[in-house]
């Protein structure tokens, strides 16, 4: 496979820029989502309560990652990973265009389209990155960290541009800018995909009835269309908050059933079953981490708007820009973290995968201690300096760098080759569960429940801290389940 002067395959840069533009569109729109929903109707918003907006936010972000599991299946079994990325991007672009129409019905239809397109693109994009580094090891970790930088470059500029347009020019302009970003990503992918070589061209159809699988997919999509049509037409009334709780149980149940199927019915070898246990641990750690981390788009975003001093001279910094702090810190810290992993690996002192995950949870816990302190001060004395939220985001970003790119890389190493796309979907399903829990948590610390914010944040800190310590204690035992995997 042809390599660039950096030593990485040339294909990584095709995937880097495609993912960069897709994340520009996703995070750019997400920066506006809760603020648009809680904004008054006279300001062009939807006028929803904080609790309802947080629940919708959680449902949407959860659906993005929940659809990664069937998206991985479609890439594995039907389209091939590369075609799945292409068609996923087209669906995302269409979703952002529909969001820009600016009506209640088009808003929910657009969210569904973006969610399903993202699910199709995300798991297969990560699978392609893993296939570019068949040798595994620290080089693959470095490749995923580079790829993760592409995510955050896109997120940074998407949140800055779409956030400013949405808050200062008009909500529809922010949503439409996200559509332009995805379109540019598609153009870039088509022009440079030759560098990906033979990777991801074919799906694995061996021993399966392909026509039956296509019919299953068509039936599933038809069911989704019917449900969305019933919901947006008002024929079926949905209690969003209760639906969010039900969805959390559904996601957890889906994960349990999938792991049971994979362990007992997928005809895995004993070594593969041991690695499956490690993937289960990663799933649980991921769900807990993202339940806390995703407050940046919901309760932290509302905190930035209502309880943070944002005046800079005569200009008020958009509240949505607090979300841009995370990718900004990632861009600055990711190369340093990648160099650190490589240096430790050369010296033979690299921490285990489980140890890195435990560090992520401990960073999350520390961040929520700071968030609880900031919330207590804001409720007692009024708006606080932005340095409070900046400190929280820095701590959570370090945790993210210990968990997310390393976890992405680890799943591609641990997954049975014929289930790689599906296992990437399971990894993202952990994010999905975390996101829906994040929305539920955010609804319990804003609006009428604002007084509970410090106590709830401390509860999250305690849960994450204990989990991180337990994971650190079990690190050596978990490492023994995956011999040869770093």
């Amino acid at each position: 496979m042809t390599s660039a002067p950096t030593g990485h395959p040339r294909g990584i840069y095709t995937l880097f820029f495609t993912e960069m533009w897709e994340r520009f569109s996703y995070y750019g729109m997400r920066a506006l989502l809760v603020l648009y929903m809680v904004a008054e109707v006279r300001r062009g918003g939807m006028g929803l309560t904080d609790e309802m907006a947080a629940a919708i936010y959680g449902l949407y972000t959860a659906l993005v990652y929940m659809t990664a599991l069937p998206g991985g299946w479609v890439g594995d079994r039907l389209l091939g990973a590369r075609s799945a990325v292409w068609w996923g991007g087209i669906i995302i672009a269409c979703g952002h265009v529909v969001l820009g129409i600016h009506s209640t019905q088009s808003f929910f239809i657009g969210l569904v389209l973006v969610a399903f397109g993202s699910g199709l693109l995300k798991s297969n994009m990560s699978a392609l990155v893993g296939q570019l580094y068949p040798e595994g090891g620290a080089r693959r970790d470095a490749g995923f960290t580079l790829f993760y930088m592409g995510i955050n470059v896109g997120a940074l500029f998407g949140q800055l541009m779409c956030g400013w347009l949405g808050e200062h020019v008009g909500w529809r302009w922010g949503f439409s800018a996200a559509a332009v970003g995805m379109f540019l990503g598609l153009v870039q992918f088509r022009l440079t995909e030759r560098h990906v070589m033979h990777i991801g061209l074919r799906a694995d159809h061996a021993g399966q009835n392909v026509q039956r699988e296509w019919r299953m997919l068509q039936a599933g999509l038809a069911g989704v269309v019917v449900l969305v049509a019933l919901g947006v037409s008002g024929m079926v009334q949905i209690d969003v908050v209760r639906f969010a709780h039900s969805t959390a149980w559904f996601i957890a149940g889906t994960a349990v059933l999938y792991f049971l199927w994979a362990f007992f019915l997928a005809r895995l070898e004993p070594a593969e079953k041991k690695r499956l246990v490690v993937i289960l641990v990663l799933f649980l750690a991921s769900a807990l981490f993202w339940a806390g981390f995703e407050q940046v788009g919901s309760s932290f975003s509302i905190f930035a708007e209502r309880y943070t001093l944002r005046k800079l001279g005569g200009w008020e910094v958009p509240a949505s820009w607090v979300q841009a702090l995370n990718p900004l810190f990632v861009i600055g810290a990711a190369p340093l973290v990648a160099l650190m992993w490589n240096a430790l690996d050369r010296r033979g002192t690299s921490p285990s995968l489980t140890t890195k995950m435990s560090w992520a949870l401990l960073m999350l816990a520390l961040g929520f201690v700071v968030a609880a302190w900031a919330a207590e001060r804001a409720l007692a004395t009024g708006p606080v300096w932005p340095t409070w939220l900046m400190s929280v985001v820095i701590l959570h970003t370090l945790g993210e760098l210990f968990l997310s790119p390393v976890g992405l890389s680890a799943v591609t190493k641990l997954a049975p080759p014929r289930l790689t796309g599906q296992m990437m979907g399971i990894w993202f399903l952990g994010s999905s569960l975390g996101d829906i829990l994040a929305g539920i948590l955010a609804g319990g610390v804003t609006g009428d429940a604002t007084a509970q914010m410090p106590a709830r944040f401390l509860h999250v800190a305690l849960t994450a801290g204990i989990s991180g310590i337990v994971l650190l204690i079990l690190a050596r035992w978990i490492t023994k389940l995956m011999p040869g995997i770093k």
Side-chain angles (χ1 to χ4, degrees), residues 262-313:
F263 197 85
F264 293 107
L265 299 177
R267 292 177 293 182
L268 300 180
E269 298 295 330
E272 292 176 326
K273 289 183 178 181
K274 290 180 179 180
R275 294 177 182 180
L276 185 65
V277 173
V278 181
I279 293 177
L280 174 59
V281 172
L282 299 182
F283 171 87
L284 295 173
S286 172
L288 178 56
F289 182 83
W290 295 116
F293 182 90
E294 278 297 334
Q295 297 304 306
V296 71
S298 48
S299 64
F300 291 172
S301 188
I302 293 174
F303 188 90
E305 182 184 46
R306 300 174 186 171
Y307 303 107
T308 301
L309 298 170
R310 294 183 287 115
K311 288 289 186 180
L312 187 62

Side-chain angles (χ1 to χ4, degrees), residues 347-421:
R347 294 166 55 185
T349 58
S350 179
S352 69
L353 167 66
T354 313
T355 299
K356 294 174 184 177
M357 293 285 179
S358 68
W359 290 353
L361 292 175
L362 293 173
M363 287 292 180
L364 181 74
L366 186 57
F368 268 95
V369 171
V370 176
W373 193 0
E376 187 173 1
R377 287 177 61 90
L379 294 176
T381 63
V384 297
W385 289 101
T387 47
W388 287 96
L389 274 180
M390 291 176 65
S391 300
V392 174
V393 174
I394 289 173
L395 289 167
H396 287 184
T397 298
L398 288 175
E400 179 188 6
L401 288 172
F402 290 155
L403 179 137
S404 195
V406 174
L408 281 170
S409 178
V411 173
T412 63
K413 300 173 189 175
L414 294 166
R418 61 190 174 88
L419 299 179
T420 300

Side-chain angles (χ1 to χ4, degrees), residues 1 6-9 12 15 123 125-149 199 275 279 282 334 337-339 341-342 345 350 353 356 401 403-417 419-421 423-424 484-486:
M1 185 175 295
T6 59
H8 288 282
I12 191 64
L15 303 182
S123 56
M125 182 71 81
S126 299
L128 286 175
V129 176
Q131 292 172 39
L132 285 174
Y133 298 89
E135 75 281 3
R139 187 166 175 263
R140 182 183 286 189
D141 287 348
F144 267 99
T145 301
L146 178 63
F147 176 71
Y148 208 66
M149 278 194 67
I199 299 298
R275 294 177 182 180
I279 293 177
L282 299 182
V337 172
L339 288 173
W341 295 150
N342 283 332
D345 185 70
S350 179
L353 167 66
K356 294 174 184 177
L401 288 172
L403 179 137
S404 195
V406 174
L408 281 170
S409 178
V411 173
T412 63
K413 300 173 189 175
L414 294 166
L419 299 179
T420 300
M423 288 300 171
M424 290 310 308
I485 302 294
K486 295 184 179 180

Side-chain angles (χ1 to χ4, degrees), residues 90-216:
I90 290 175
I91 296 169
I92 291 168
C94 291
H96 287 302
V97 170
V98 173
L99 280 169
I101 296 173
H102 204 57
S103 72
T104 301
Q105 290 77 15
S106 63
F107 175 77
F108 288 108
I109 292 172
L111 288 184
V112 171
L113 286 172
V114 174
F116 274 81
S118 297
L120 187 58
L121 183 145
K122 281 190 67 64
S123 56
N124 289 287
M125 182 71 81
S126 299
L128 286 175
V129 176
Q131 292 172 39
L132 285 174
Y133 298 89
E135 75 281 3
R139 187 166 175 263
R140 182 183 286 189
D141 287 348
F144 267 99
T145 301
L146 178 63
F147 176 71
Y148 208 66
M149 278 194 67
I151 292 174
N152 286 278
V153 169
L156 172 63
F157 289 104
Q159 288 166 345
L160 292 176
M161 184 174 295
C162 297
W164 182 83
L165 287 171
E167 291 190 62
H168 289 282
V169 181
W171 300 110
R172 72 172 62 191
W173 289 99
F175 293 133
S176 297
V180 173
M182 189 65 253
F183 174 76
L184 292 174
L186 288 168
V187 171
Q188 186 278 149
F189 181 75
R190 187 57 82 197
L191 291 177
T192 64
E193 67 173 326
R194 66 185 183 279
H195 296 311
V196 185
M197 307 295 284
H198 62 282
I199 299 298
L201 284 176
R202 296 177 180 273
D204 177 15
H205 298 305
Q208 297 292 331
N209 187 328
V210 178
Q211 294 301 320
R212 184 189 63 179
E213 293 183 350
W214 274 109
R215 287 194 294 270
M216 289 170 55

Side-chain angles (χ1 to χ4, degrees), residues 208-256:
Q208 297 292 331
N209 187 328
V210 178
Q211 294 301 320
R212 184 189 63 179
E213 293 183 350
W214 274 109
R215 287 194 294 270
M216 289 170 55
L217 176 62
Q218 291 163 359
L221 292 176
V224 170
V225 170
V226 170
L227 289 174
V228 172
L230 291 174
V232 299
S233 67
M235 295 178 65
V236 174
Q237 298 295 322
I238 299 175
D239 183 328
V240 174
V241 178
R242 290 183 62 185
F243 186 61
H245 285 81
S246 300
T247 303
W249 284 108
F250 173 78
I251 295 172
T254 299
V256 169

